[in-house]
């Protein structure tokens, strides 16, 4: 596990009418602060990445569909510098993925339909606060499936 990254199992409560999907509570250890909540979608087989935030902590959940998240740690002061980690999030593995600042991440949606990704971020969106790289960037030691 990359230093500072955590996975928290999430509750799903359902019956014939539908589902309640928990995501994050302010009394959980992983909660730091509230900046904004947003949702994004990724279409089947498409990659979104690479991106990292300079100060923001992110809390991702995938309530619909499935996505593979890939993380890369290039923080010089980290005991896990140089490590790559991947985790499947979604209907089959409903967990909260908490990312500290300065971790590169990307994700790819499953092949069986659009995927909905929820993020409860510790800061409001600020275009000066993050960096992006192309998903084919060779400085990150990971090759996305084609």
């Amino acid at each position: 596990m990359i230093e500072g990254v955590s996975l928290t199992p999430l509750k799903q409560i359902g019956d014939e009418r539908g589902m309640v999907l928990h995501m994050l509570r302010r009394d959980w250890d992983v909660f730091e602060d509230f900046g904004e909540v947003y949702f994004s979608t990724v279409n089947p087989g498409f990659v979104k990445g690479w991106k990292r935030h300079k100060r923001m902590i992110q809390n991702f959940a995938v309530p619909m569909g499935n996505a593979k998240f890939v993380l890369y740690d290039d923080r010089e002061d980290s005991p896990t510098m140089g490590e790559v980690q991947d985790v499947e999030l979604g209907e089959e593995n409903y967990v909260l993925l908490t990312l500290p600042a300065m971790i590169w991440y990307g994700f790819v949606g499953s092949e069986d339909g659009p995927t909905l990704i929820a993020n409860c971020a510790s800061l409001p969106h600020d275009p000066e606060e993050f960096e992006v790289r192309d998903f084919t960037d060779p400085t990150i030691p990971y090759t996305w499936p084609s």
Side-chain angles (χ1 to χ4, degrees), residues 2 50 70-74 82-84 102-104 139-141:
I2 289 177
W50 296 101
V70 179
L71 317 174
Y72 174 60
D73 185 359
D74 70 349
E83 288 190 26
V84 173
M102 299 305 290
I103 298 292
W104 288 102
T139 64
I140 297 177

Side-chain angles (χ1 to χ4, degrees), residues 7 9-10 12 62 65-67 87-96:
L7 296 171
L10 296 173
Q12 299 180 52
V62 178
N66 294 286
V87 62
E88 299 276 342
L89 274 69
E91 295 172 17
E92 286 126 33
N93 186 32
Y94 191 60
V95 298
L96 181 71

Side-chain angles (χ1 to χ4, degrees), residues 68-117:
K68 178 180 182 176
F69 278 71
V70 179
L71 317 174
Y72 174 60
D73 185 359
D74 70 349
R75 299 170 296 173
E76 290 184 11
D77 61 344
S78 172
T80 54
M81 181 182 173
E83 288 190 26
V84 173
Q85 177 182 346
D86 65 73
V87 62
E88 299 276 342
L89 274 69
E91 295 172 17
E92 286 126 33
N93 186 32
Y94 191 60
V95 298
L96 181 71
L97 170 64
T98 301
L99 290 184
M102 299 305 290
I103 298 292
W104 288 102
Y105 70 94
F107 49 87
V108 61
S110 65
E111 293 295 330
D112 54 349
T115 298
L116 179 67
I117 297 171

